[in-house]
Amino acid sequence: MFNNLEVCQAVLNALPDATFLKDGQQRVVFLNRQACELFGKTVEEMLGQTGLADLDDHSVEKITEGDRYVLETGESIEYEHQALNRDNVLISIMVRCSRLVFHEAPYVLVSLNDITSLRESEAQTRYLAYHDILTGLHNRTALYEQLNQVVVPGVGRHAGETGGLLLLMDLDGFKNINDTYGHQAGDFVLCEFARRLQGVAPKNSLVARMGGDEFSLLTDRPVAREEAESLCRQIVNLTQTPFTLTGASPFVTVSVGVTVITEAVITAGELLRKADAALYEAKRQGKNVHCFYSESLDASLSSKRRMEKALANALSSGRDITCAYQPLIRAADNQIIGVEALARWQDKELGEISPVQFVPLAEETGLIIPLGKLILRQACREMLRWGDLSLSVNVSPIQLRDGGFARMVLALLAEERFPPERLELELTETAIMNSDANSKHQLVLLREAGVRISLDDFGTGYSSLSLLKDIVVDSVKIDRSFVQFVTQLKDTAAIVTAVSHLGVKLNLQVIAEGVETREQQQFLVDAGCTQLQGFLFSKPLSEEKLEQLFADIERNKDLSSGPHLEIKD
């Protein structure tokens, strides 16, 4: 028969965390095998000691103070601490302390969990969220975030002062390199151009790859016209030297569009449109040309105003704007469990207009408020009869900042008799992190009513893993930029797996968007993603085509199962 000490020791040794017991004088009286391994000492060396002998003064003070607090108050505490392990490597440890009383004597039960891998994953996530994987430059997300800082009134510039330059660059003839020499050669050219561009970029400027063969440069200080002209000439000269490949030395040219950031600029989108208008003009003029934005160049300005008027009329009449629905698939069995509602606009005169065009325009003009309400109402009406399906709707940060947003949503759901439990609102993590106290209160009101909240484009904003600890959400949607490379890049695969595992532990639904291949699907299922979405399963469908899809599935499915999608190679 085992005695109590043997049983206690066996239990402690079975625990995954390093665990030990301290008496009222903070001396170790009991510990498990994991604690010995963590400290690199034997049981005999640890017993009777405080376990603080090899630590620095700051660590000793912090741990002693924590133990004393637990002994005196009886309250449990949890904190993170960094320390050197037995191999002299700095590791991160989560420390949990609670008080136990034996024979009226107080003791401190301490457990230590090595979270170094988690912190390293967070660091990798932060890097991947803001950097282009191929070139190592910043990415579009990083540029957008910096642009949003630049256009904030009073930040980085004074009244009447320029706030720097935004340059957009496009490599002319790059497609020919891919077609002639292959994508590996194309990747080399992109990386080499990125290296050259960094070499001429002004100090502290942000250099980014926007995607494909498009690059950008944002300066953080006012730049004189002569200096800006000189910078553009240097960039154009970068392509005068051939890009040496094995057995070939192909040339490309570069077009540069420039816009000067002034006090009048109020949105990041406006900056990008102006730089893009200048880039378009540079490409129109020929090869290796740079062009500065001017009002006369902005041929899109009148088009924008025309589009704004047409959008306002469409919202006022309630016509021409419709919903498309992209199915959401349960990873375990390919069953359709929900849909995401996506705005579509078909104007009688302008034709079909992409959401990439009209959604930013709606945000800039304030029309996003009525547009969001129209899409939500239409989606609730059309999906009401599909009682087993959840409905996801995207929410703009501007909508969230509206003080009456939660009240509007709940009133609309009541009017349409749509159950709040079936609705999930998707917001980007950047939008939530930038929201004020009132915006966060809106989310609390919605969740209390049963509406679910999802973090969209997860991994492209702030410190994503840390974010999950601070904000109560129901699901996370791993961005398609991670899914795209999940079967090709080890770092990306590791991040997706880490996020999936963490999501499961936090009882979150983990959704992967942009799934296009069977290989991606299998990896995501194995990684622990609970829901999938992408062209592998279905493109966004009109209400009629969605109904036809369900009808086709209904005819072919087993009567005991739900609507399953048959994936075709």
Side-chain angles (χ1 to χ4, degrees):
M1 198 69 178
F2 294 109
N3 60 40
N4 289 338
L5 286 179
E6 289 176 330
V7 172
C8 290
Q9 189 66 61
V11 170
L12 284 181
N13 286 338
L15 295 176
D17 296 341
T19 307
F20 51 88
L21 193 66
K22 292 182 177 181
D23 63 14
Q25 285 71 48
Q26 302 181 34
R27 296 171 302 193
V28 176
V29 297
F30 219 56
L31 71 161
N32 66 356
R33 186 183 304 112
Q34 287 76 6
C36 293
E37 292 176 355
L38 180 63
F39 287 98
K41 295 183 178 181
T42 65
V43 173
E44 291 73 19
E45 290 173 325
M46 292 288 293
L47 288 176
Q49 304 299 315
T50 62
L52 305 175
D54 299 327
L55 300 180
D56 58 90
D57 293 342
H58 174 71
S59 296
V60 171
E61 181 181 352
K62 183 173 183 178
I63 294 172
T64 301
E65 184 178 312
D67 290 349
R68 186 183 303 116
Y69 177 83
V70 172
L71 285 168
E72 292 176 355
T73 66
E75 295 184 19
S76 298
I77 62 172
E78 177 180 294
Y79 59 91
E80 186 175 333
H81 184 69
Q82 288 190 319
L84 294 173
N85 65 7
R86 60 181 178 179
D87 297 320
N88 208 35
V89 175
L90 189 65
I91 61 174
S92 297
I93 300 175
M94 182 62 67
V95 183
R96 297 179 177 87
C97 303
S98 56
R99 187 176 73 175
L100 300 178
V101 178
F102 297 114
H103 303 296
E104 300 183 355
Y107 293 81
V108 181
L109 181 65
V110 183
S111 67
L112 307 176
N113 182 19
D114 187 347
I115 59 171
T116 306
S117 297
L118 175 61
R119 291 294 175 254
E120 290 174 348
S121 293
E122 288 180 337
Q124 285 183 309
T125 300
R126 285 193 295 270
Y127 180 85
L128 290 174
Y130 288 100
H131 290 81
D132 173 57
I133 297 174
L134 177 64
T135 64
L137 297 180
H138 285 90
N139 59 12
R140 183 185 296 267
T141 300
L143 177 70
Y144 280 8
E145 187 165 307
Q146 189 62 34
L147 285 176
N148 282 324
Q149 293 297 317
V150 168
V151 299
V152 173
V155 176
R157 54 194 160 94
H158 302 288
E161 181 183 60
T162 62
L165 301 173
L166 172 63
L167 288 73
L168 291 185
M169 292 150 275
D170 192 76
L171 296 181
D172 307 307
F174 176 75
K175 184 177 183 298
N176 291 334
I177 293 180
N178 272 340
D179 293 343
T180 304
Y181 303 104
H183 288 279
Q184 187 174 2
D187 288 348
F188 169 80
V189 171
L190 292 174
C191 291
E192 176 61 16
F193 180 78
R195 186 189 65 80
R196 296 179 186 182
L197 182 58
Q198 286 178 300
V200 301
K203 185 178 180 180
N204 296 326
S205 58
L206 187 148
V207 182
R209 180 187 174 212
M210 304 291 283
D213 59 354
E214 187 175 353
F215 295 80
S216 64
L217 188 154
L218 176 65
T219 66
D220 68 338
R221 60 179 176 81
V223 178
R225 178 68 180 229
E226 295 78 12
E227 185 181 352
E229 291 278 5
S230 175
L231 174 61
C232 290
R233 287 193 294 270
Q234 290 181 66
I235 293 174
V236 167
N237 287 336
L238 296 178
T239 60
Q240 299 304 301
T241 304
F243 296 84
T244 304
L245 306 173
T246 302
S249 298
F251 279 89
V252 295
T253 56
V254 61
S255 300
V256 185
V258 190
T259 185
V260 178
I261 303 170
T262 66
E263 191 179 38
V265 177
I266 59 172
T267 68
E270 183 181 355
L271 280 174
L272 287 166
R273 281 194 301 276
K274 289 182 175 181
D276 195 56
L279 176 61
Y280 180 83
E281 177 63 17
K283 293 175 75 69
R284 189 188 68 80
Q285 292 182 15
K287 307 297 184 183
N288 277 344
V289 173
H290 71 272
C291 182
F292 280 74
Y293 168 83
S294 66
E295 290 292 339
S296 61
L297 284 181
D298 196 0
S300 64
L301 188 59
S302 59
S303 175
K304 169 187 167 185
R305 290 173 178 168
R306 183 183 176 194
M307 188 183 300
E308 179 183 347
K309 183 178 180 180
L311 180 59
N313 290 336
L315 292 171
S316 177
S317 66
R319 298 191 300 268
D320 302 331
I321 296 179
T322 59
C323 288
Y325 301 98
Q326 188 167 25
L328 190 63
I329 310 301
R330 185 160 58 205
D333 57 8
N334 286 346
Q335 182 172 331
I336 301 176
I337 57 175
V339 294
E340 179 183 0
L342 303 166
R344 295 291 184 263
W345 181 21
Q346 179 78 36
D347 186 78
K348 293 179 180 178
E349 295 184 4
L350 302 178
E352 183 176 352
I353 303 172
S354 168
V356 175
Q357 292 179 284
F358 73 79
V359 171
L361 176 64
E363 291 181 324
E364 183 180 336
T365 59
L367 293 174
I368 193 67
I369 302 295
L371 175 61
K373 186 175 182 179
L374 184 150
I375 292 299
L376 178 60
R377 186 180 297 280
Q378 187 175 129
C380 288
R381 284 182 178 176
E382 294 180 346
M383 292 297 107
L384 180 62
R385 62 187 174 123
W386 306 103
D388 295 332
L389 295 181
S390 65
L391 171 64
S392 298
V393 178
N394 291 283
V395 174
S396 163
I398 297 173
Q399 291 174 270
L400 187 60
R401 288 197 292 267
D402 182 1
F405 176 68
R407 185 170 60 252
M408 180 277 293
V409 171
L410 297 178
L412 187 151
L413 292 176
E415 292 168 9
E416 301 300 332
R417 298 182 180 180
F418 194 90
E421 295 77 14
R422 287 183 56 194
L423 178 65
E424 184 164 84
L425 299 180
E426 295 188 10
L427 299 101
T428 63
E429 51 187 306
T430 302
I432 294 181
M433 288 297 293
N434 285 338
S435 60
D436 54 20
N438 175 68
S439 298
K440 290 184 172 68
H441 180 61
Q442 301 289 313
L443 296 180
V444 171
L445 293 176
L446 289 166
R447 292 194 83 253
E448 289 177 346
V451 177
R452 299 192 304 276
I453 304 298
S454 173
L455 281 183
D456 195 11
D457 298 337
F458 187 72
T460 63
Y462 289 80
S463 179
S464 305
L465 295 174
S466 297
L467 182 65
L468 294 182
K469 299 188 303 182
D470 304 324
I471 298 177
V472 179
V473 297
D474 301 280
S475 61
V476 292
K477 208 169 191 180
I478 299 175
D479 186 65
R480 65 182 66 248
S481 61
F482 288 91
V483 174
Q484 179 184 2
F485 295 104
V486 76
T487 59
Q488 304 170 28
L489 301 174
K490 291 182 179 179
D491 284 350
T492 303
I495 293 301
V496 171
T497 300
V499 170
S500 299
H501 289 174
L502 182 61
V504 171
K505 288 185 179 181
L506 295 176
N507 295 318
L508 300 176
Q509 295 295 323
V510 180
I511 308 166
E513 64 177 349
V515 184
E516 296 183 356
T517 68
R518 277 184 172 275
E519 291 76 18
Q520 292 170 355
Q521 178 193 15
Q522 189 59 55
F523 179 92
L524 295 166
V525 171
D526 293 341
C529 292
T530 55
Q531 298 175 22
L532 306 174
Q533 186 179 34
F535 286 0
L536 176 65
F537 308 103
S538 174
K539 294 181 178 181
L541 304 171
S542 65
E543 181 193 11
E544 294 78 12
K545 290 185 177 180
L546 182 67
E547 183 176 2
Q548 182 62 51
L549 173 65
F550 284 138
D552 293 342
I553 293 173
E554 186 70 23
R555 282 193 295 269
N556 297 322
K557 76 178 182 69
D558 185 302
L559 294 178
S560 63
S561 62
H564 291 67
L565 278 180
E566 180 181 351
I567 310 301
K568 298 180 179 179
D569 292 320

